[in-house]
Amino acid sequence: MHSVSILGCGWLGKPLGVALLRSGYTVLGSVTQQEKLAAIAETGIEPCLLKFDPQPAGDYSRFFQSEILIISIPPRRKTGLATVYLEQLQNVVQEAQRGTISHIVFISSTAVYPDLNRIVYEDDAAVDSYLTEAEKIVITSGIQTTVIRFGGLIGAGRHPGRFLAGKQEVPGRTSPVNMIHQEDCIKIIQAVVERNAWGEIFNACADEHPARGEFYFLASKQLGLEPPHFIEEDNSAYKIVCSEKLKKRLKYTFIYPDPLTMF
């Protein structure tokens, strides 16, 4: 039996924790608000009130006594907040080094890739991206780390039909989308832990990449919302994120290989 601490027990972290519990792991999960503790405890996850803002505050001594740390806190993309996010990660790593953490899963994003108008692989990350810098902070911590770069997240409470509904003059009609379902996210993280796939960087996106216009039109129609209106003539830059490395290394088959079946 292994112990796992999930930093960020929210949309992804909470159901991930439940799945790990069912597999026999001891799971601790952090939240930043007192009123969320009871809901986490009800699942069987041991809740910890913990903030990095960017300095640590709260009940963090017990939290970093697990074997595995999963960092699932959303990056801050707004101007000025990227620096705060990087400081948060530096402090998280410092506490992990002081504790008993021997392995880290760091949840990153395919936003690390520029639009290169081609298929992109793990080596194509932008060198000047703050996400690349964030990954580096964790990778160079001295703790064995695997980075998972998830595409656009879909699943419980995140229906893509709401993302662009009713918007006008939307660019990128023919650009391919890079999406992944919540269930695949959870299974992939579990596969990394169970297969001891450490020291890796993985892309994690569904196999198929339908056109943005088709994807968001169908998603909004399913909810009965006004579809977005896309610009007809559009030369928007794009990328197609390849997940072949993940599939081979983890022997993984996507539950939802086609984004058009995710909603």
Side-chain angles (χ1 to χ4, degrees):
M1 183 182 292
H2 294 286
S3 52
V4 179
S5 289
I6 302 174
L7 185 67
C9 216
W11 181 83
L12 176 58
K14 183 178 176 182
L16 170 63
V18 172
L20 290 170
L21 281 171
R22 289 173 180 161
S23 295
Y25 294 87
T26 299
V27 182
L28 291 80
S30 78
V31 293
T32 59
Q33 297 173 338
Q34 180 83 33
E35 56 268 27
K36 293 184 178 180
L37 290 173
I40 298 300
E42 285 174 4
T43 67
I45 298 169
E46 182 180 332
C48 297
L49 187 62
L50 176 60
K51 278 187 180 182
F52 284 86
D53 202 21
Q55 298 297 323
D59 179 21
Y60 59 89
S61 57
R62 167 91 174 95
F63 185 80
F64 290 99
Q65 298 306 308
S66 295
E67 297 167 66
I68 298 168
L69 172 64
I70 298 171
I71 302 176
S72 181
I73 52 176
R76 304 185 180 191
R77 299 174 183 174
K78 293 181 180 178
T79 304
L81 292 182
T83 301
V84 175
Y85 176 64
L86 296 177
E87 289 177 10
Q88 279 183 310
L89 285 178
Q90 287 169 340
N91 290 319
V92 169
V93 165
Q94 189 175 67
E95 295 302 327
Q97 291 166 332
R98 289 173 178 166
T100 61
I101 303 296
S102 58
H103 298 89
I104 296 175
V105 177
F106 179 61
I107 306 304
S108 187
S109 166
T110 55
V112 73
Y113 299 113
D115 291 326
L116 298 175
N117 297 326
R118 62 171 174 81
I119 297 174
V120 295
Y121 304 91
E122 283 79 0
D123 292 337
D124 289 319
V127 293
D128 59 347
S129 168
Y130 81 97
L131 288 172
T132 305
E133 190 174 346
E135 293 176 358
K136 186 177 179 181
I137 288 170
V138 187
I139 290 170
T140 60
S141 65
I143 301 172
Q144 281 194 304
T145 295
T146 285
V147 174
I148 307 175
R149 295 169 177 162
F150 285 132
L153 301 171
I154 298 175
R158 290 182 65 93
H159 194 295
R162 297 187 180 92
F163 295 171
L164 298 178
K167 293 189 179 295
Q168 301 295 311
E169 302 301 304
V170 180
R173 179 177 62 86
T174 60
S175 298
V177 297
N178 299 285
M179 297 290 177
I180 186 166
H181 195 278
Q182 183 189 52
E183 291 180 34
D184 278 307
C185 293
I186 291 168
K187 290 292 186 184
I188 287 167
I189 296 170
Q190 285 185 287
V192 167
V193 172
E194 290 167 3
R195 291 182 175 273
N196 290 309
W198 305 112
E200 303 278 9
I201 297 176
F202 292 125
N203 289 337
C205 284
D207 297 325
E208 302 299 324
H209 304 268
R212 196 163 180 254
E214 178 188 16
F215 176 77
Y216 285 107
F217 177 84
L218 292 175
S220 58
K221 289 290 283 184
Q222 191 194 61
L223 292 180
L225 300 175
E226 181 186 352
H229 180 269
F230 283 85
I231 300 169
E232 282 300 318
E233 298 298 326
D234 184 38
N235 296 313
S236 296
Y238 68 90
K239 61 194 171 220
I240 299 174
V241 179
C242 177
S243 301
E244 287 303 311
K245 178 184 174 183
L246 177 146
K247 291 165 65 178
K248 289 178 181 177
R249 174 68 174 84
L250 301 180
K251 296 180 172 57
Y252 189 77
T253 301
F254 279 87
I255 302 168
Y256 294 92
D258 185 351
L260 296 180
T261 67
M262 292 183 187
F263 48 82

